[in-house]
PDB file of all heavy atoms in Angstrom:
ATOM      1  N   LEU A   1       9.936  -6.603  45.410  1.00 86.00           N
ATOM      2  CA  LEU A   1       9.296  -5.726  46.407  1.00 86.00           C
ATOM      3  C   LEU A   1       7.694  -5.814  46.262  1.00 86.00           C
ATOM      4  O   LEU A   1       6.985  -5.711  47.273  1.00 86.00           O
ATOM      5  CB  LEU A   1       9.732  -4.326  46.293  1.00 86.00           C
ATOM      6  CG  LEU A   1      11.184  -4.110  46.702  1.00 86.00           C
ATOM      7  CD1 LEU A   1      11.561  -2.607  46.518  1.00 86.00           C
ATOM      8  CD2 LEU A   1      11.473  -4.536  48.159  1.00 86.00           C
ATOM      9  N   ASN A   2       7.253  -6.000  45.073  1.00 82.00           N
ATOM     10  CA  ASN A   2       5.775  -5.913  44.805  1.00 82.00           C
ATOM     11  C   ASN A   2       5.188  -7.264  44.625  1.00 82.00           C
ATOM     12  O   ASN A   2       4.150  -7.453  43.954  1.00 82.00           O
ATOM     13  CB  ASN A   2       5.468  -4.997  43.607  1.00 82.00           C
ATOM     14  CG  ASN A   2       6.070  -5.522  42.337  1.00 82.00           C
ATOM     15  OD1 ASN A   2       7.019  -6.266  42.351  1.00 82.00           O
ATOM     16  ND2 ASN A   2       5.499  -5.167  41.207  1.00 82.00           N
ATOM     17  N   ASP A   3       5.896  -8.317  45.032  1.00 87.00           N
ATOM     18  CA  ASP A   3       5.451  -9.712  44.841  1.00 87.00           C
ATOM     19  C   ASP A   3       5.356 -10.408  46.185  1.00 87.00           C
ATOM     20  O   ASP A   3       6.338 -11.048  46.642  1.00 87.00           O
ATOM     21  CB  ASP A   3       6.421 -10.434  43.857  1.00 87.00           C
ATOM     22  CG  ASP A   3       5.912 -11.854  43.551  1.00 87.00           C
ATOM     23  OD1 ASP A   3       4.713 -12.144  43.745  1.00 87.00           O
ATOM     24  OD2 ASP A   3       6.764 -12.637  43.070  1.00 87.00           O
ATOM     25  N   PRO A   4       4.219 -10.349  46.832  1.00 88.00           N
ATOM     26  CA  PRO A   4       4.148 -10.862  48.233  1.00 88.00           C
ATOM     27  C   PRO A   4       4.172 -12.357  48.353  1.00 88.00           C
ATOM     28  O   PRO A   4       3.769 -13.055  47.328  1.00 88.00           O
ATOM     29  CB  PRO A   4       2.780 -10.326  48.745  1.00 88.00           C
ATOM     30  CG  PRO A   4       2.012 -10.186  47.503  1.00 88.00           C
ATOM     31  CD  PRO A   4       2.935  -9.735  46.407  1.00 88.00           C
ATOM     32  N   ALA A   5       4.552 -12.895  49.470  1.00 92.00           N
ATOM     33  CA  ALA A   5       4.536 -14.310  49.721  1.00 92.00           C
ATOM     34  C   ALA A   5       4.169 -14.492  51.191  1.00 92.00           C
ATOM     35  O   ALA A   5       4.827 -13.925  52.066  1.00 92.00           O
ATOM     36  CB  ALA A   5       5.830 -15.013  49.423  1.00 92.00           C
ATOM     37  N   HIS A   6       3.107 -15.239  51.493  1.00 93.00           N
ATOM     38  CA  HIS A   6       2.690 -15.379  52.892  1.00 93.00           C
ATOM     39  C   HIS A   6       2.693 -16.831  53.340  1.00 93.00           C
ATOM     40  O   HIS A   6       2.388 -17.133  54.501  1.00 93.00           O
ATOM     41  CB  HIS A   6       1.295 -14.824  53.055  1.00 93.00           C
ATOM     42  CG  HIS A   6       1.183 -13.305  52.692  1.00 93.00           C
ATOM     43  ND1 HIS A   6       1.905 -12.393  53.373  1.00 93.00           N
ATOM     44  CD2 HIS A   6       0.589 -12.706  51.682  1.00 93.00           C
ATOM     45  CE1 HIS A   6       1.664 -11.153  52.766  1.00 93.00           C
ATOM     46  NE2 HIS A   6       0.824 -11.349  51.773  1.00 93.00           N
ATOM     47  N   SER A   7       2.967 -17.796  52.427  1.00 95.00           N
ATOM     48  CA  SER A   7       3.076 -19.181  52.827  1.00 95.00           C
ATOM     49  C   SER A   7       4.025 -19.918  51.831  1.00 95.00           C
ATOM     50  O   SER A   7       4.379 -19.330  50.866  1.00 95.00           O
ATOM     51  CB  SER A   7       1.705 -19.842  52.842  1.00 95.00           C
ATOM     52  OG  SER A   7       1.336 -20.293  51.524  1.00 95.00           O
ATOM     53  N   ILE A   8       4.311 -21.130  52.198  1.00 95.00           N
ATOM     54  CA  ILE A   8       5.263 -21.889  51.353  1.00 95.00           C
ATOM     55  C   ILE A   8       4.684 -22.213  49.983  1.00 95.00           C
ATOM     56  O   ILE A   8       5.379 -22.676  49.081  1.00 95.00           O
ATOM     57  CB  ILE A   8       5.701 -23.182  52.069  1.00 95.00           C
ATOM     58  CG1 ILE A   8       4.495 -24.061  52.408  1.00 95.00           C
ATOM     59  CG2 ILE A   8       6.537 -22.830  53.327  1.00 95.00           C
ATOM     60  CD1 ILE A   8       4.840 -25.369  53.045  1.00 95.00           C
ATOM     61  N   TYR A   9       3.380 -22.009  49.830  1.00 95.00           N
ATOM     62  CA  TYR A   9       2.722 -22.305  48.564  1.00 95.00           C
ATOM     63  C   TYR A   9       2.539 -21.084  47.677  1.00 95.00           C
ATOM     64  O   TYR A   9       1.889 -21.130  46.556  1.00 95.00           O
ATOM     65  CB  TYR A   9       1.336 -22.998  48.794  1.00 95.00           C
ATOM     66  CG  TYR A   9       1.435 -24.310  49.498  1.00 95.00           C
ATOM     67  CD1 TYR A   9       1.115 -24.426  50.864  1.00 95.00           C
ATOM     68  CD2 TYR A   9       1.852 -25.448  48.813  1.00 95.00           C
ATOM     69  CE1 TYR A   9       1.242 -25.643  51.489  1.00 95.00           C
ATOM     70  CE2 TYR A   9       1.921 -26.669  49.459  1.00 95.00           C
ATOM     71  CZ  TYR A   9       1.627 -26.781  50.768  1.00 95.00           C
ATOM     72  OH  TYR A   9       1.724 -27.962  51.408  1.00 95.00           O
ATOM     73  N   ALA A  10       3.065 -19.922  48.107  1.00 93.00           N
ATOM     74  CA  ALA A  10       2.856 -18.702  47.312  1.00 93.00           C
ATOM     75  C   ALA A  10       3.405 -18.831  45.961  1.00 93.00           C
ATOM     76  O   ALA A  10       4.503 -19.422  45.688  1.00 93.00           O
ATOM     77  CB  ALA A  10       3.570 -17.537  48.042  1.00 93.00           C
ATOM     78  N   ILE A  11       2.647 -18.375  44.937  1.00 89.00           N
ATOM     79  CA  ILE A  11       3.025 -18.474  43.500  1.00 89.00           C
ATOM     80  C   ILE A  11       3.124 -17.128  42.883  1.00 89.00           C
ATOM     81  O   ILE A  11       2.235 -16.252  43.075  1.00 89.00           O
ATOM     82  CB  ILE A  11       2.002 -19.325  42.727  1.00 89.00           C
ATOM     83  CG1 ILE A  11       2.001 -20.793  43.283  1.00 89.00           C
ATOM     84  CG2 ILE A  11       2.261 -19.303  41.230  1.00 89.00           C
ATOM     85  CD1 ILE A  11       0.950 -21.616  42.624  1.00 89.00           C
ATOM     86  N   THR A  12       4.188 -16.874  42.153  1.00 84.00           N
ATOM     87  CA  THR A  12       4.360 -15.649  41.420  1.00 84.00           C
ATOM     88  C   THR A  12       3.589 -15.797  40.097  1.00 84.00           C
ATOM     89  O   THR A  12       3.827 -16.737  39.367  1.00 84.00           O
ATOM     90  CB  THR A  12       5.814 -15.394  41.068  1.00 84.00           C
ATOM     91  OG1 THR A  12       6.507 -15.196  42.346  1.00 84.00           O
ATOM     92  CG2 THR A  12       5.982 -14.102  40.275  1.00 84.00           C
ATOM     93  N   ALA A  13       2.696 -14.845  39.830  1.00 75.00           N
ATOM     94  CA  ALA A  13       1.953 -14.865  38.597  1.00 75.00           C
ATOM     95  C   ALA A  13       2.896 -14.849  37.405  1.00 75.00           C
ATOM     96  O   ALA A  13       3.817 -14.015  37.334  1.00 75.00           O
ATOM     97  CB  ALA A  13       0.997 -13.683  38.516  1.00 75.00           C
ATOM     98  N   ASN A  14       2.758 -15.755  36.454  1.00 68.00           N
ATOM     99  CA  ASN A  14       3.628 -15.807  35.331  1.00 68.00           C
ATOM    100  C   ASN A  14       2.859 -16.343  34.074  1.00 68.00           C
ATOM    101  O   ASN A  14       3.346 -17.209  33.375  1.00 68.00           O
ATOM    102  CB  ASN A  14       4.850 -16.773  35.613  1.00 68.00           C
ATOM    103  CG  ASN A  14       6.038 -16.333  34.808  1.00 68.00           C
ATOM    104  OD1 ASN A  14       6.281 -15.151  34.587  1.00 68.00           O
ATOM    105  ND2 ASN A  14       6.853 -17.306  34.413  1.00 68.00           N
ATOM    106  N   ILE A  15       1.670 -15.785  33.845  1.00 61.00           N
ATOM    107  CA  ILE A  15       0.885 -16.255  32.773  1.00 61.00           C
ATOM    108  C   ILE A  15       0.564 -15.135  31.827  1.00 61.00           C
ATOM    109  O   ILE A  15      -0.010 -14.106  32.199  1.00 61.00           O
ATOM    110  CB  ILE A  15      -0.507 -16.813  33.289  1.00 61.00           C
ATOM    111  CG1 ILE A  15      -0.236 -18.007  34.250  1.00 61.00           C
ATOM    112  CG2 ILE A  15      -1.358 -17.199  32.045  1.00 61.00           C
ATOM    113  CD1 ILE A  15      -1.523 -18.585  34.761  1.00 61.00           C
ATOM    114  N   PRO A  16       1.051 -15.171  30.575  1.00 54.00           N
ATOM    115  CA  PRO A  16       0.769 -14.117  29.621  1.00 54.00           C
ATOM    116  C   PRO A  16      -0.671 -14.122  29.204  1.00 54.00           C
ATOM    117  O   PRO A  16      -1.279 -15.210  29.004  1.00 54.00           O
ATOM    118  CB  PRO A  16       1.678 -14.452  28.439  1.00 54.00           C
ATOM    119  CG  PRO A  16       1.894 -15.925  28.510  1.00 54.00           C
ATOM    120  CD  PRO A  16       1.860 -16.244  29.967  1.00 54.00           C
ATOM    121  N   LEU A  17      -1.262 -12.991  29.041  1.00 50.00           N
ATOM    122  CA  LEU A  17      -2.690 -12.894  28.688  1.00 50.00           C
ATOM    123  C   LEU A  17      -2.918 -12.179  27.366  1.00 50.00           C
ATOM    124  O   LEU A  17      -4.069 -11.800  27.058  1.00 50.00           O
ATOM    125  CB  LEU A  17      -3.392 -12.162  29.808  1.00 50.00           C
ATOM    126  CG  LEU A  17      -3.347 -12.806  31.207  1.00 50.00           C
ATOM    127  CD1 LEU A  17      -3.989 -11.886  32.199  1.00 50.00           C
ATOM    128  CD2 LEU A  17      -3.910 -14.183  31.214  1.00 50.00           C
ATOM    129  N   GLN A  18      -1.930 -11.979  26.564  1.00 48.00           N
ATOM    130  CA  GLN A  18      -2.109 -11.261  25.313  1.00 48.00           C
ATOM    131  C   GLN A  18      -3.138 -11.965  24.475  1.00 48.00           C
ATOM    132  O   GLN A  18      -3.057 -13.203  24.264  1.00 48.00           O
ATOM    133  CB  GLN A  18      -0.814 -11.119  24.520  1.00 48.00           C
ATOM    134  CG  GLN A  18       0.211 -10.389  25.186  1.00 48.00           C
ATOM    135  CD  GLN A  18       1.333 -11.321  25.811  1.00 48.00           C
ATOM    136  OE1 GLN A  18       0.881 -12.345  26.365  1.00 48.00           O
ATOM    137  NE2 GLN A  18       2.524 -11.005  25.680  1.00 48.00           N
ATOM    138  N   GLY A  19      -4.083 -11.228  23.969  1.00 47.00           N
ATOM    139  CA  GLY A  19      -5.051 -11.782  23.003  1.00 47.00           C
ATOM    140  C   GLY A  19      -6.099 -12.672  23.634  1.00 47.00           C
ATOM    141  O   GLY A  19      -6.866 -13.327  22.949  1.00 47.00           O
ATOM    142  N   ALA A  20      -6.135 -12.737  24.962  1.00 44.00           N
ATOM    143  CA  ALA A  20      -7.076 -13.648  25.621  1.00 44.00           C
ATOM    144  C   ALA A  20      -8.490 -13.234  25.245  1.00 44.00           C
ATOM    145  O   ALA A  20      -8.925 -12.137  25.412  1.00 44.00           O
ATOM    146  CB  ALA A  20      -6.883 -13.570  27.106  1.00 44.00           C
ATOM    147  N   GLY A  21      -9.258 -14.205  24.660  1.00 45.00           N
ATOM    148  CA  GLY A  21     -10.639 -13.963  24.359  1.00 45.00           C
ATOM    149  C   GLY A  21     -10.770 -13.205  23.037  1.00 45.00           C
ATOM    150  O   GLY A  21     -11.943 -12.953  22.606  1.00 45.00           O
ATOM    151  N   LEU A  22      -9.740 -12.770  22.389  1.00 42.00           N
ATOM    152  CA  LEU A  22      -9.843 -11.967  21.166  1.00 42.00           C
ATOM    153  C   LEU A  22      -9.735 -12.809  19.910  1.00 42.00           C
ATOM    154  O   LEU A  22     -10.208 -12.468  18.879  1.00 42.00           O
ATOM    155  CB  LEU A  22      -8.775 -10.857  21.214  1.00 42.00           C
ATOM    156  CG  LEU A  22      -8.822  -9.872  22.346  1.00 42.00           C
ATOM    157  CD1 LEU A  22      -7.682  -8.840  22.215  1.00 42.00           C
ATOM    158  CD2 LEU A  22     -10.146  -9.180  22.388  1.00 42.00           C
ATOM    159  N   LEU A  23      -8.946 -13.926  19.986  1.00 44.00           N
ATOM    160  CA  LEU A  23      -8.698 -14.812  18.864  1.00 44.00           C
ATOM    161  C   LEU A  23      -9.146 -16.205  19.152  1.00 44.00           C
ATOM    162  O   LEU A  23      -9.171 -16.623  20.306  1.00 44.00           O
ATOM    163  CB  LEU A  23      -7.199 -14.767  18.510  1.00 44.00           C
ATOM    164  CG  LEU A  23      -6.610 -13.498  18.072  1.00 44.00           C
ATOM    165  CD1 LEU A  23      -5.093 -13.596  17.868  1.00 44.00           C
ATOM    166  CD2 LEU A  23      -7.234 -12.976  16.760  1.00 44.00           C
ATOM    167  N   PRO A  24      -9.594 -16.900  18.121  1.00 48.00           N
ATOM    168  CA  PRO A  24     -10.009 -18.301  18.345  1.00 48.00           C
ATOM    169  C   PRO A  24      -8.837 -19.117  18.809  1.00 48.00           C
ATOM    170  O   PRO A  24      -7.707 -18.921  18.364  1.00 48.00           O
ATOM    171  CB  PRO A  24     -10.508 -18.762  16.991  1.00 48.00           C
ATOM    172  CG  PRO A  24      -9.878 -17.788  16.005  1.00 48.00           C
ATOM    173  CD  PRO A  24      -9.733 -16.487  16.728  1.00 48.00           C
ATOM    174  N   ASN A  25      -9.035 -20.060  19.726  1.00 47.00           N
ATOM    175  CA  ASN A  25      -7.942 -20.932  20.238  1.00 47.00           C
ATOM    176  C   ASN A  25      -7.799 -22.109  19.321  1.00 47.00           C
ATOM    177  O   ASN A  25      -8.103 -23.234  19.746  1.00 47.00           O
ATOM    178  CB  ASN A  25      -8.350 -21.282  21.684  1.00 47.00           C
ATOM    179  CG  ASN A  25      -7.115 -21.753  22.423  1.00 47.00           C
ATOM    180  OD1 ASN A  25      -6.009 -21.417  22.112  1.00 47.00           O
ATOM    181  ND2 ASN A  25      -7.366 -22.544  23.473  1.00 47.00           N
TER     182      ASN A  25
END
């Protein structure tokens, strides 16, 4: 219900962001 799609290219966000920018990569 809370994941909109308006075209055939719509993408569901599925990227974890834990620790982003906090630890060296």
Side-chain angles (χ1 to χ4, degrees):
L1 294 178
N2 62 335
D3 184 17
H6 302 296
S7 84
I8 58 177
Y9 297 102
I11 296 176
T12 297
N14 208 35
I15 300 177
L17 302 176
Q18 299 102 317
L22 301 179
L23 295 175
N25 198 24

